[in-house]
Amino acid sequence: MDADIKSKIIELSITGIKDIWNFEVPSGSIIIQKTRPEFTSDITLVVFPLTKFTKTSPDKTAQQLGEYLKNRIPEIEGFNVIKGFLNISLINSFWISFLHDMYDDTRFGFTPPGSSASVMVEFSSPNTNKPLHLGHIRNNLIGNSLSEILSATGNKVIKANLVNDRGIHICKSMYAWKEWGAGETPESSGIKGDKLVGKYYVEFEKRLIAQTKEKIISIYTQIIKQATPINEIKKEDIKLATFDAIPRTIETDYDYNEIKDAFARALITYNQTGRFPSIEEDKFIIEYFKKYTSLFNDAQEMLRKWEDGDETTIFLWKKMNDWVYKGFETTYRELGISFDKTYYESETYLLGKEIVDEGVRKNVFIRKEDGSVWCDLTDDGLDEKLLQRSDGTSVYMTQDIGTAAERFKEFPGMKKLIYVVGSEQEYHFKVLFLILKKLGYSWAGDCHHLSYGMVDLPEGKMKSREGTVVDADDLIEEMYETSRQTTKELGKLEGIPDKEKESICRMIGMGALKYFILKVDPKKRMVFNPKESIDFEGNTGPFIQYTYARIQSLLRKAGDWRKVTGDLPAGRHGRRQDTGNTLKIQPVEKNVIKLIFDFPGVIRQAADEFNPAVIANYMYELAKEFNHFYQTVPVLPAKGGSLPAGQAGASGGKAEDEERLNFRLRLSDTTGKIIKKGMNLLGINVPEKM
């Protein structure tokens, strides 16, 4: 329906410009948009792009085109011109007919599945050395919601998860458990599997940092003993073999000279104050030097054993990963997350090596004298990127090249591969996509990085290695408990059986969490406030859930009222086939219908922008507008009263009042359906009662 009237306006606008100004314009030049709130109309045609064809002012073009359209489209009631915008109003019966026509359309807003070409959305991608945290929650919610939205627009969507189940991070947890775990298991400790493994990762990191500090302080001491006045020391003065002999081939995100600068600063600070700089002050030093401790080397040795297939190491790796997977499953189940394909890094990390060799043969990549392979991106404004170490081992970029190629091979004709990954990886994906393009893959332009901002808490930024990161399970339970307390204080669930009450509380708590995160544009960094998220007023999930429950309560009352009066036409919620042009709808009713009318376009916009926030904020506007309608006009008669009249304080004839009752019930029912559909696209369930 929305496409029909808009298509008609576009087609006749093209014809009108030809008839009036004798100029043929492409259909893309006709821009139809939602009318801005400060203007009074239903649809707006943007005139400015047309003036280059009409050679007249925007206002004159709009006026002439508006008259042309009004004389030829019976649904147009009138129009006004404001600053080059042609604002079109549609007749009363158009909106009533629209509501009538779409009422039984269970797929309204959704596009039927199209071709067999698929879209893959990769999200979650957890490491198996720790439980999921708040940042993972945002990743999972964005990825899952985007998958639902893309599916609603006719795409065949593959939800994929790449589990990072190998590497030095899991070996740290394995080594710590082996050395200090005393055989502790999830069963013996009562600790969830992923949390138990995470506990040993944190323990390893604490001991590693302590050992790293000891090593650096010993270096400081040796330098101080032989140095000239230490306050005058500069980085070029630091010639001690224990520093300069460190190999520069180590894989690090930091520039070697920056590390020397940081080392000199920290050395002076330590000599003056006796205080070792914190990790936040000079993490350059910690991150660099920790790789030369005995503890790190022990974990590295365990990784080498894993790569060599050592049976004891593989057995321990499988056992601890199994603990983690069971823990992940519990968290995913609470979040309502599932996947169509799960990939494991242990099975994919060798992919890409053949592609790198092929790239060398084609002179796309460079093999240096030490045997390492690089891609020179300096002509593209970037730097050189390492693709293979001198010992022949791969880096993450190599793996990502291989997995991308493998996925397009596994799913021929796949039209989009979307990576939902934090904004700190923007440079990585920029380089990856450029390399894929240089390799000549035709699908390189079909890869997209959906970059999202980090999540902070009101008290500040999340931390990681210190073990103070916000655990996903703990946060979910906190949301449930806050929901229980809030609904009890407000009396929202009085009279509901305890078992059902608990189910609703969990639905509200999870809805609050998901909505608060998804209503923010993914590209923006955000602050998550658990207390603010569970509020039954304002732009929150519980407010929208409560609106849906209110509608269902209204419809149940309507059924009970009919049983008493027995004088309304039969049919679901008073549905009448003859509702039509005689009923005059009020502005508050029309505003709700207009928002329902927008629903298909909102879904398309969210899909085009890869942005669930478009759906979330539309849900809030619809719920807010419905509540205004509900509080402004009577939907049902007061107990023992007569049918609702068209205007406050006045009554029409009985037939008109019956028609109005049926219309308002249908409007309420349709709003509830749209709220449920839209919230489901966000992964949020809505309660039938509250």
Side-chain angles (χ1 to χ4, degrees), residues 243-257 259 287-288 291-292 296 300 368-374 385-395:
F243 185 86
D244 281 346
I246 292 175
R248 297 179 60 171
T249 56
I250 187 168
E251 190 177 353
T252 176
D253 294 330
Y254 307 119
D255 179 83
Y256 186 76
N257 287 322
I259 296 168
E287 290 296 315
Y288 196 82
K291 298 184 179 181
Y292 297 95
F296 187 88
Q300 195 73 38
K368 296 193 175 181
E369 292 181 1
D370 63 356
S372 61
V373 177
W374 299 73
K385 185 63 182 178
L386 176 67
L387 299 178
Q388 188 172 288
R389 300 184 185 93
S390 57
D391 61 3
T393 57
S394 301
V395 296

Side-chain angles (χ1 to χ4, degrees), residues 344-357:
Y344 298 92
E345 187 181 321
S346 58
E347 299 171 355
T348 65
Y349 78 104
L350 294 177
L351 293 174
K353 294 187 74 173
E354 290 185 6
I355 296 175
V356 168
D357 291 340

Side-chain angles (χ1 to χ4, degrees), residues 72 76 79 111 124 160 228 230 274 397 421 449 471 492 532 536 542 579 665:
R72 289 163 177 79
I76 294 180
F79 67 91
T111 305
S124 196
T228 53
I230 198 71
M397 184 63 71
V421 183
H449 174 210
D471 180 86
K492 293 289 185 183
E532 283 185 11
F536 288 89
T579 298
L665 286 173

Side-chain angles (χ1 to χ4, degrees), residues 375-567:
C375 183
D376 186 355
L377 303 174
T378 52
D379 288 344
D380 300 284
L382 304 177
D383 56 10
E384 291 186 336
K385 185 63 182 178
L386 176 67
L387 299 178
Q388 188 172 288
R389 300 184 185 93
S390 57
D391 61 3
T393 57
S394 301
V395 296
Y396 277 110
M397 184 63 71
T398 317
Q399 174 184 296
D400 285 347
I401 292 169
T403 54
E406 189 69 17
R407 287 170 186 174
F408 278 94
K409 181 180 178 181
E410 183 179 1
F411 298 97
M414 185 165 67
K415 60 183 180 181
K416 207 76 176 177
L417 172 56
I418 302 167
Y419 299 86
V420 182
V421 183
S423 56
E424 72 276 9
Q425 294 294 324
E426 285 181 357
Y427 182 79
H428 173 86
F429 283 100
K430 186 176 183 179
V431 170
L432 171 62
F433 300 157
L434 182 56
I435 290 175
L436 292 172
K437 182 179 178 181
K438 286 180 178 294
L439 286 167
Y441 289 115
S442 60
W443 43 259
D446 299 326
C447 297
H448 177 80
H449 174 210
L450 175 50
S451 171
Y452 65 89
M454 295 296 98
V455 187
D456 297 326
L457 294 171
E459 53 268 29
K461 185 178 180 180
M462 292 196 309
K463 298 181 181 180
S464 54
R465 291 188 182 88
E466 293 83 353
T468 55
V469 68
V470 183
D471 180 86
D473 298 316
D474 294 343
L475 179 60
I476 290 170
E477 187 52 48
E478 180 185 343
M479 297 300 295
Y480 291 157
E481 182 56 33
T482 304
S483 174
R484 294 183 192 106
Q485 293 174 2
T486 304
T487 53
K488 184 177 181 180
E489 290 170 3
L490 298 176
K492 293 289 185 183
L493 302 178
E494 290 180 359
I496 296 177
D498 288 345
K499 186 176 181 180
E500 189 176 359
K501 189 182 297 184
E502 174 63 15
S503 175
I504 295 173
C505 282
R506 294 172 77 87
M507 194 181 297
I508 293 171
M510 185 56 68
L513 170 64
K514 291 182 176 181
Y515 185 84
F516 200 90
I517 288 176
L518 290 174
K519 73 177 182 179
V520 179
D521 187 312
K523 294 186 288 295
K524 295 181 179 178
R525 191 168 190 140
M526 67 170 292
V527 175
F528 177 74
N529 189 320
K531 291 182 179 179
E532 283 185 11
S533 69
I534 299 187
D535 191 335
F536 288 89
E537 299 292 337
N539 190 5
T540 66
F543 169 70
I544 300 168
Q545 289 173 313
Y546 181 69
T547 301
Y548 178 82
R550 165 178 273 179
I551 291 171
Q552 302 316 301
S553 175
L554 171 68
L555 298 176
R556 286 192 295 271
K557 289 177 182 177
D560 292 340
W561 189 82
R562 271 197 225 92
K563 291 176 185 176
V564 174
T565 59
D567 62 354

Side-chain angles (χ1 to χ4, degrees), residues 48 102 104 176 195 307 315 392 420 457 464 535 580 652 671:
F48 294 102
M102 60 75 59
D104 286 327
K195 291 188 177 184
E307 291 177 343
F315 179 81
V420 182
L457 294 171
S464 54
D535 191 335
T671 302

